[in-house]
Amino acid sequence: MTTTAIANQQFISSAQILEHWQGHRNLTRRVIDAFPEKELFEFSIGGMRSFAKLAVELVSIAGPALKGIVDHQVEAFSEEAFKPKTKEELLAKWDSETEVINHYFNQISEERFQETFNLFGQYEFPVYQNILYFIDNEVHHRGQGYTYLRALGIEPPFFWERF
Amino acid sequence: MTTTAIANQQFISSAQILEHWQGHRNLTRRVIDAFPEKELFEFSIGGMRSFAKLAVELVSIAGPALKGIVDHQVEAFSEEAFKPKTKEELLAKWDSETEVINHYFNQISEERFQETFNLFGQYEFPVYQNILYFIDNEVHHRGQGYTYLRALGIEPPFFWERF
């Protein structure tokens, strides 16, 4: 096989990346849950956002972004629609978005992953890059959440435990 | 197309995930470089490792792990081989590993990504899951590095700038 043939071969299927993402989301849910109520909404380091605020960003991206991709609808990004006051409320939204993500993700075809889409009218990239960005952005912010937990003297969940 | 057919379709090619990973590695390099020399090796929050130590973990995984996968060689994980004393030394190793990663990654076939491998004699998972783990682990630790930089009053590089 030539190098070019190898370069174009499949790395993962769409079912595999979805399972991978939902595994990450399970872990992020545990990180949210590991925070005491007050610190979830108030604690921060170096002027960064609270972990509740970071989690609201994450639920404001995933479902709405996939819906936008599937419906070919360009709507501006907004975190205004959801303002949780408690951990319970945040976790309930997290759980309901799990189904929203599965619902829309499963409607994206192989061809579509390679097409460019102007996400939120702002991020014009191939759909697969947008989806990888959602996952990376979650892992990135969760890494910040781990640091908050350590600073609070709380042992974070195991990074490798996803299901 | 049935749901099953959609589930088994390609999400990304091997060339795309390699480019994606190297983009992340470019960003991690910028994060290493953003630390002042002393803080890179000494600063930490909540008893965590310094960012130099986290970066040594990352270079001790990527190249050696891919070599192990390609050579079907199970060797225990070790961070003992590389003990940088300066940022310059760490960045030089980071750069030389870029080529090592490309070299070995391009020898992994589509079939191999789906085969189980006992990485470092410890992590028995399909090869694609091991590779996603290397990337996620890097994004995770880099998120901690961002928090260190913020705590030090240093503006981190833009998360979306990869090349």
Side-chain angles (χ1 to χ4, degrees), chain A residues 36-53:
Chain A
E37 187 81 31
K38 184 177 149 66
E39 281 74 12
L40 178 62
F41 288 89
E42 294 178 11
F43 185 79
S44 101
I45 291 175
M48 292 168 62
R49 287 169 286 172
S50 68
F51 197 63
K53 278 229 162 71

Side-chain angles (χ1 to χ4, degrees), chain A residues 1-68:
Chain A
M1 207 186 287
T2 64
T3 306
T4 314
I6 285 189
N8 291 322
Q9 67 190 356
Q10 176 165 317
F11 174 65
I12 33 169
S13 72
S14 58
Q16 287 170 338
I17 192 76
L18 179 58
E19 188 193 23
H20 180 73
W21 187 9
Q22 293 290 15
H24 271 305
R25 294 186 72 255
N26 287 339
L27 175 57
T28 307
R29 191 190 195 285
R30 277 185 210 125
V31 173
I32 296 169
D33 206 18
F35 276 84
E37 187 81 31
K38 184 177 149 66
E39 281 74 12
L40 178 62
F41 288 89
E42 294 178 11
F43 185 79
S44 101
I45 291 175
M48 292 168 62
R49 287 169 286 172
S50 68
F51 197 63
K53 278 229 162 71
L54 295 173
V56 166
E57 178 189 296
L58 299 177
V59 291
S60 304
I61 292 177
L66 291 178
K67 184 178 186 307

